[in-house]
């Protein structure tokens, strides 16, 4: 009257093992789930009962106790419906396996009332963890897109009855198709050649792409700041296989599935986004925009219009490349190694107050308050800051030529070569160099040390600002 089934919980992008123990004993009929279950898990009692009855199985009229071990790990979501149903069938003697051992499998999935399986989020991490443990994952057929990202085959169950037939040795479950090798890069839909003029801004964008540096663009509306940011992913090298799988895992936890490919993520949240939306969180911690932009680009347009608390929360992830969300009994960590690209206007009205002094209606106090919306510690973590001016009318009216397209291709090749050199030197982009690596790879001549010390005193540069200046110089070199 006791059965043991293996499943996986979800804790950030981790999938800790959960052992589901089902015990049937004499006494008044009662269905109890213990082991720190969330509300959705406790509600699985009704879904499992209806699914068993509608699949023509008997629901045991006895005292049923389901233990989700270990008890100190929180269990949320509907992923335990399928393993709980299998555990009850096994404990009640209705499931007699033939040639198939339950302990060699792991089960995750939600059950409909008619016994069909439904899609669940975060299944990719459960698949990877299950295969590492040597067991065969069985997931809902609706999650076939997640399983298609894994090299090893995964079993797909469409219905509870079909799964029971497989475990009894009477049916065969469908397997996930092997992943198709995606193209290294999709056709470029937004070309850097479409931007007229802005040579200095394009150069800054290439430097940012080559070293993985963060960039803040300041300029009047309509000068091309958003267009520049949207074209940055075209200059970046494609994702490696390891990074691609991690990005897909993050999106799987968030309930989304990215199209297979090596393209880097590009996220552009609205300036009304809360700190939870940017950083992540919630009752059950979910990844925020900075984690969805992992290994890619996070573009924040109208930077001073963002909530001050949300912007300040970016400071730690910009340096550590991860975000830790603490709850009363546990902590969840999400990767957040993103490249920040931000844009802002020179003043609240949007004009360039330094050049449009006759038309600008902003007082000096207004301009000061607008600039003060961005704290110095945050600005200190942004490697590059440039002014984007309105290009001449002649540049805006000029048509795109083959030379422009060839120029973009040459810039991309230079960026890829610079990244390759940085990876060969330290195994990571220049923006991620530690203090010791910066001192080793960015050594200055005696006369350059004097120049750097003079600049630090004159502009009030912090130690962090001096180090980021050296890292950017390494990238330019």
């Amino acid at each position: 009257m006791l059965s043991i089934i293996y499943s996986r919980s979800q804790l950030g992008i981790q999938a800790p093992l959960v052992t589901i123990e089902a015990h049937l004993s004499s006494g008044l009929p009662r269905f109890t789930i213990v082991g720190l279950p969330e509300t959705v898990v406790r509600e699985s009692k009704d879904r499992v009962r209806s699914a068993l009855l509608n699949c023509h199985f008997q629901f045991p009229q006895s005292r049923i106790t389901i233990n989700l071990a270990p008890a100190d790990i929180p269990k949320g979501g509907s992923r335990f419906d399928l393993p709980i149903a299998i555990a009850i069938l096994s404990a009640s003697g209705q499931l007699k396996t033939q040639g198939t051992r339950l302990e060699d499998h792991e089960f995750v999935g939600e059950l409909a009332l008619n016994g069909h399986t439904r899609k669940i989020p975060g299944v990719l991490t459960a698949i990877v963890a299950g295969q590492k443990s040597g067991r065969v994952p069985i997931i809902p057929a609706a999650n076939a897109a997640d399983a298609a990202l894994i090299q090893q085959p995964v079993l797909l169950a469409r219905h509870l009855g079909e799964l029971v037939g497989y475990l009894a040795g009477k049916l065969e479950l469908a397997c996930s198709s092997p992943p198709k090798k995606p193209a290294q890069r999709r056709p470029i839909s937004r070309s850097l050649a479409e931007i007229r003029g802005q040579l200095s801004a394009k150069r800054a964008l290439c430097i940012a792409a080559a070293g993985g540096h963060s960039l803040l663009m300041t300029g009047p509306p309509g000068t091309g700041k958003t267009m520049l940011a949207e074209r940055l992913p075209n200059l970046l090298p494609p994702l490696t296989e390891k990074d691609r799988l991690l990005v897909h895992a993050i999106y799987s936890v968030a309930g989304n599935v990215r199209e297979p490919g090596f393209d880097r993520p590009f996220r552009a949240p609205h300036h009304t986004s809360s700190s939870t939306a940017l950083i992540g969180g919630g009752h059950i911690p979910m990844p925020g925009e900075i984690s969805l932009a992992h290994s890619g680009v996070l573009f924040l347009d109208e930077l001073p219009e963002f909530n001050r608390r949300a912007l300040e929360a970016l400071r730690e992830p910009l340096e550590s490349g991860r975000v830790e969300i603490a709850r009363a009994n546990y902590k969840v960590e999400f990767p957040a190694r993103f490249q920040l690209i931000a844009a802002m206007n020179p003043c609240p009205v949007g004009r360039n107050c330094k050049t449009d002094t006759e038309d600008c209606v902003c007082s000096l106090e207004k301009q000061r308050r607008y600039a003060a919306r961005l704290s110095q510690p945050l600005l200190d973590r942004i490697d590059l800051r440039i002014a984007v001016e309105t290009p001449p009318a002649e540049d805006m009216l000029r048509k795109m030529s083959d030379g422009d397209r060839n120029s973009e291709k040459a810039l991309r090749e230079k960026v890829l070569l610079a990244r390759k050199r940085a990876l060969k030197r330290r195994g990571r982009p220049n923006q991620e160099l530690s203090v010791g690596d910066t001192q080793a790879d960015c050594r200055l001549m005696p006369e350059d040390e004097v120049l750097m010390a003079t600049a630090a005193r004159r502009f009030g540069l912090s130690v962090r600002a001096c180090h980021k200046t050296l890292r950017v110089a390494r990238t330019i070199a």
Side-chain angles (χ1 to χ4, degrees):
M1 308 295 282
L2 176 68
S3 66
I4 298 176
I5 302 295
Y6 296 111
S7 184
R8 294 278 168 179
S9 183
Q10 178 185 320
L11 203 60
I13 61 168
Q14 305 298 322
L17 178 67
V18 173
T19 302
I20 297 178
E21 302 168 340
H23 180 233
L24 276 60
S25 59
S26 59
L28 293 175
R30 187 178 179 182
F31 194 167
T32 306
I33 299 179
V34 298
L36 205 62
E38 299 283 349
T39 302
V40 179
V41 179
R42 290 196 296 267
E43 291 174 348
S44 66
K45 295 185 291 187
D46 299 314
R47 291 192 296 270
V48 169
R49 182 179 184 277
S50 296
L52 290 176
L53 294 176
N54 286 318
C55 292
H56 307 290
F57 295 107
Q58 292 183 357
F59 189 79
Q61 296 300 312
S62 56
R63 186 182 182 91
I64 304 173
T65 303
I66 302 293
N67 180 38
L68 309 178
D72 59 340
I73 296 179
K75 290 87 177 178
S78 56
R79 60 178 51 223
F80 299 110
D81 290 2
L82 191 60
I84 288 176
I86 296 297
I88 292 175
L89 291 175
S90 177
S92 61
Q94 300 180 73
L95 174 59
K96 298 185 183 300
T97 60
Q98 183 176 354
T100 303
R101 300 197 311 168
L102 291 176
E103 56 266 28
D104 293 337
H105 296 76
E106 291 184 3
F107 306 85
V108 290
E110 179 182 343
L111 283 176
L113 298 185
N114 59 2
H116 282 89
T117 58
R118 285 178 172 163
K119 184 178 180 179
I120 60 171
V123 74
L124 185 58
T125 57
I127 294 173
V128 174
Q131 291 180 341
K132 286 182 178 179
S133 68
R135 286 182 282 267
V136 179
I138 298 180
I139 66 171
N143 286 107
D146 297 272
L149 299 169
I150 306 297
Q151 294 290 340
Q152 298 178 357
V154 180
L155 296 180
L156 307 174
R158 293 175 297 179
H159 192 272
L160 177 61
E162 182 184 61
L163 176 57
V164 172
Y166 162 77
L167 295 174
K170 300 177 181 179
L171 295 175
E172 290 293 331
L173 289 180
C175 289
S176 60
S177 57
K180 298 178 181 179
K181 188 175 181 180
Q184 287 289 315
R185 189 183 290 273
R186 295 188 182 91
I188 295 176
S189 58
R190 295 176 175 177
S191 173
L192 192 64
E194 295 173 347
I195 302 177
R196 303 293 179 266
Q198 303 294 11
L199 297 181
S200 61
K202 289 180 181 178
R203 172 167 168 76
L205 199 69
C206 291
I207 295 171
H213 301 290
S214 51
L215 171 66
L216 173 60
M217 297 178 285
T218 305
T223 54
K225 302 187 295 295
T226 301
M227 291 182 67
L228 286 164
E230 291 175 342
R231 283 145 182 81
L232 176 60
N234 297 337
L235 299 175
L236 298 174
L239 287 171
T240 63
E241 181 65 29
K242 180 181 178 181
D243 291 337
R244 183 179 72 92
L245 191 59
L246 180 55
V247 169
H248 280 292
I250 296 171
Y251 275 74
S252 177
V253 170
N256 302 322
V257 179
R258 296 187 80 232
E259 294 183 18
F262 289 88
D263 297 304
R264 293 179 179 268
F266 180 86
R267 307 291 299 186
H270 195 261
H271 63 263
T272 57
S273 300
S274 64
S275 57
T276 302
L278 280 179
I279 306 302
H283 177 61
I284 300 176
M286 299 294 288
E289 290 292 337
I290 63 173
S291 295
L292 296 174
H294 177 73
S295 295
V297 178
L298 177 68
F299 176 52
L300 301 183
D301 199 6
E302 305 295 343
L303 186 65
E305 302 299 333
F306 277 81
N307 181 277
R308 176 69 176 261
R309 183 179 176 184
L311 291 181
E312 295 304 312
L314 294 175
R315 286 157 51 177
E316 289 79 9
L318 276 172
E319 288 195 340
S320 64
R322 59 186 177 84
V323 57
E324 191 176 81
I325 301 172
R327 291 294 178 262
N329 299 323
Y330 62 95
K331 293 181 180 179
V332 174
E333 184 178 299
F334 292 108
R337 181 69 68 183
F338 60 94
Q339 187 170 353
L340 175 64
I341 305 297
M344 61 179 289
N345 296 325
C347 68
V349 175
R351 298 185 177 94
N352 192 335
C353 296
K354 293 182 180 179
T355 58
D356 300 337
T357 52
E358 296 181 0
D359 298 330
C360 188
V361 295
C362 296
S363 64
L364 292 177
E365 180 61 23
K366 264 189 178 181
Q367 297 176 37
R368 188 192 65 78
R369 285 201 304 265
Y370 183 73
R373 294 181 185 178
L374 304 178
S375 68
Q376 190 57 42
L378 176 63
L379 293 175
D380 223 20
R381 288 168 170 82
I382 298 179
D383 296 342
L384 293 165
R385 283 185 259 173
I386 62 169
V388 182
E389 305 292 345
T390 303
E394 295 78 8
D395 289 340
M396 291 187 288
L397 299 176
R398 183 175 58 83
K399 294 183 179 180
M400 184 169 57
S401 63
D402 293 337
D404 295 327
R405 296 187 182 91
N406 294 333
S407 175
E408 181 184 19
K409 183 179 179 181
L411 289 176
R412 190 182 306 116
E413 291 175 352
K414 289 179 67 175
V415 168
L416 295 179
L417 180 59
R419 278 270 182 141
K420 185 177 179 180
R421 287 171 175 164
L423 293 176
K424 184 178 179 181
R425 183 169 54 242
R426 288 293 176 182
R428 53 187 178 273
N430 292 328
Q431 193 275 337
E432 300 176 22
L433 292 177
S434 64
V435 175
D437 294 339
T438 302
Q439 293 175 346
D441 296 338
C442 309
R443 295 188 299 271
L444 297 177
M445 300 294 288
E447 57 271 24
D448 298 326
E449 291 181 355
V450 174
L451 175 63
M452 190 71 189
T454 303
R457 287 193 298 269
R458 180 175 300 176
F459 299 112
L461 301 181
S462 65
V463 176
R464 181 187 290 111
C466 292
H467 285 162
K468 77 179 181 183
T469 302
L470 294 175
R471 291 195 294 267
V472 172
R474 173 75 274 176
T475 299
I476 296 173

